[in-house]
Amino acid sequence: MRTLADEIGTAIEVDLAVIPPHQRRAYAGLDQYRRPVEVRGVQELAKGIAESFGAFAIFDVETVLRSPAIAPFVTQTLYAIPLELRRAACDRDRLKAEGARKEMARIISAALLSRYHFEPLKHVGASCHPNWEEAFEQQFGAGRGRGSSG
């Protein structure tokens, strides 16, 4: 049976797998010819990863956050991933690149799960429609601490 940690790790793996090659290289500090350049696009990548958790209530102690509120933490985590690992995710060898992406996903999910508590919202689909607030109220009630993040 899949655990919540498995689901989060898999979501991040998918996010990393579907990044357009130019964006993956920018995050790894490589140009189109795989020469070292300045790292770019970390905030955009972090925002995309954070958005994939739109169907979750994310708790930071007693404060509930929406997915965009965790983007700064995801950004810090992405910067902490070793450059060699990021570059390995761009390797022409598919198995090596896939292994690097899996390791990156493991690092990111471990960091997220050590900092936040995720609760899937029962009435919100993966695309996180506008009824997030309603779904949260139905599942958790108005008694939980709530943050203005969102």
Side-chain angles (χ1 to χ4, degrees):
M1 182 160 174
R2 291 178 54 86
T3 65
L4 182 62
D6 293 337
E7 286 186 38
I8 290 170
T10 300
I12 295 168
E13 275 186 53
V14 169
D15 288 339
L16 295 174
V18 300
I19 296 170
H22 72 276
Q23 190 177 1
R24 185 177 299 125
R25 285 190 305 267
Y27 169 62
L30 297 171
D31 68 8
Q32 65 184 359
Y33 304 107
R34 300 183 190 280
R35 294 179 300 212
V37 294
E38 183 179 344
V39 172
R40 302 175 318 278
V42 179
Q43 290 83 7
E44 294 82 9
L45 179 56
K47 182 181 174 199
I49 291 172
E51 286 173 353
S52 66
F53 298 110
F56 290 87
I58 305 165
F59 292 92
D60 187 6
V61 187
E62 282 296 315
T63 304
V64 66
L65 307 171
R66 285 184 148 189
S67 58
I70 67 170
F73 181 76
V74 175
T75 299
Q76 291 175 341
T77 305
L78 289 172
Y79 275 119
I81 293 174
L83 195 56
E84 302 82 37
L85 186 59
R86 295 187 231 169
R87 289 183 175 165
C90 299
D91 202 275
R92 288 188 175 110
D93 178 341
R94 288 181 186 238
L95 290 176
K96 183 176 180 182
E98 183 180 329
R101 286 194 305 270
K102 284 181 184 275
E103 179 61 16
M104 289 168 56
R106 188 198 61 73
I107 292 168
I108 297 165
S109 66
L112 285 171
L113 291 168
S114 70
R115 168 84 186 258
Y116 301 108
H117 173 71
F118 289 76
E119 287 284 335
L121 292 175
K122 296 174 186 166
H123 303 291
V124 177
S127 63
C128 192
H129 55 75
N131 294 331
W132 189 94
E133 295 287 341
E134 182 182 329
F136 181 86
E137 293 298 328
Q138 287 177 4
Q139 188 167 340
F140 298 108
R144 298 292 291 253
R146 307 252 317 250
S148 59
S149 300

